[in-house]
Every structure is written in C-alpha cells, then in structure tokens.
Amino acid sequence: MANDNFYGYKRNPKKAAKASKYNGVDMEFESVNPHEFKKGMYCELDKMGTSLRESDEDQREKATETVLKNLKDVSAYYSYMEHYQVTTRNMDRKPSFKSFLKEMGDHSMKEIKEKFTVDKMKEIKLRESIRAEVRNIINELFKIK
C-alpha cells in the first residue's frame, strides 16, 4: 500500500522470505477480502480498547495477525460475527459463535449441480406435521373437539 499509516499491515521478514516465490507478493494478505479485513481491524482494535487512529504499530500488527487468522478459517468471519450479535441480541440463552458458524456454513453459495444437504423448510414442515398428528391422536383419545 502506498500509505499504510492506518492500515496496520507490515510484513514480517519471515513472511517476506516466503513471499519471494510469488514475486514479493504476500498471498496470505492479498487473498483476503478488503472489506472483511477492514471490518476485522475495527473489531479487533475495538476489543483492545483503541481505534485505528489512536493505536500504535504493535497493536495494529497484533490485530492484523488475529484478523488474518480468523479470515483464513472463515472468509466472512466478521460479517458472521456482526450477524450473530444482531440475531442473538435479546436472547436469554445464546448459542455459541462456533455453533452459529456451523449453521451458517450451510448457507454458502453452491454450484447448480450440487444439492443442499440440509433443507430447513422440509424440517419445519415435518415438525409441524408431526405436531398436528400428535394433536389429532390426543384429541381422539380424550374425545376433545
């Protein structure tokens, strides 16, 4: 970057040696979605209690490593985190973020030929039909109308 005063990414010399086989380009950083990286930097620096402008170089480097690690595992980690926080805002018993991520993994885009393994609508319809059948059986047993 031409002006990296506020972006926080400064290459580690060990990583620069690895990047030499790609003509000096650090592919770990270049393969990340810039919007997610920016969201991640704001989020991680906020966890540290500072902002992008007020942080020092060490804080930005630490936040950068955390962001790259999280985005390596899940490419939309911080968007999912934001969605999780909004969805579970008023819940008494919140699911863990990892279980939320597993559930969100089924919502990714797939090729036309591939089939979805989990269809939530079929599960809901099945559950509703089972409940209706159980109600009918109970009503017949007790002759309640």
Side-chain angles (χ1 to χ4, degrees):
M1 288 183 219
N3 180 8
D4 68 347
N5 290 337
F6 300 120
Y7 290 95
Y9 183 70
K10 200 163 210 165
R11 289 176 46 196
N12 190 341
K14 293 177 185 176
K15 290 186 180 181
K18 287 182 185 178
S20 64
K21 64 182 176 183
Y22 298 110
N23 295 328
V25 177
D26 188 356
M27 293 307 290
E28 183 180 9
F29 179 69
E30 292 295 326
S31 63
V32 171
N33 180 347
H35 178 70
E36 284 295 321
F37 180 76
K38 182 178 176 183
K39 235 184 211 184
M41 285 298 289
Y42 282 124
C43 182
E44 294 300 328
L45 287 171
D46 188 46
K47 286 179 186 176
M48 291 180 196
T50 185
S51 68
L52 199 55
R53 291 190 183 269
E54 296 169 353
S55 62
D56 61 357
E57 189 174 336
D58 293 333
Q59 290 173 325
R60 288 194 303 267
E61 284 180 15
K62 186 176 179 182
T64 300
E65 293 302 320
T66 307
V67 169
L68 289 176
K69 183 178 105 12
N70 290 337
L71 292 179
K72 186 177 181 182
D73 297 337
V74 180
S75 61
Y77 184 87
Y78 294 98
S79 293
Y80 286 152
M81 175 68 81
E82 188 177 294
H83 181 66
Y84 170 76
Q85 290 171 346
V86 170
T87 305
T88 61
R89 181 181 306 151
N90 295 325
M91 287 184 172
D92 293 332
R93 302 184 89 206
K94 296 180 182 182
S96 69
F97 182 62
K98 288 186 180 184
S99 65
F100 183 79
L101 278 178
K102 286 180 187 175
E103 184 179 315
M104 292 302 290
D106 294 335
H107 296 286
S108 61
M109 295 180 76
K110 297 184 187 261
E111 289 188 28
I112 295 173
K113 298 173 190 173
E114 292 183 32
K115 300 287 183 191
F116 285 97
T117 56
V118 177
D119 190 0
K120 299 278 183 186
M121 290 307 292
K122 286 182 182 178
E123 289 179 13
I124 292 170
K125 288 178 183 177
L126 178 64
R127 191 178 315 137
E128 288 174 359
S129 64
I130 291 171
R131 283 183 183 160
E133 193 66 33
V134 169
R135 273 193 215 113
N136 289 337
I137 292 171
I138 291 173
N139 289 339
E140 286 178 14
L141 286 175
F142 293 108
K143 304 220 182 206
I144 300 173
K145 292 185 180 181

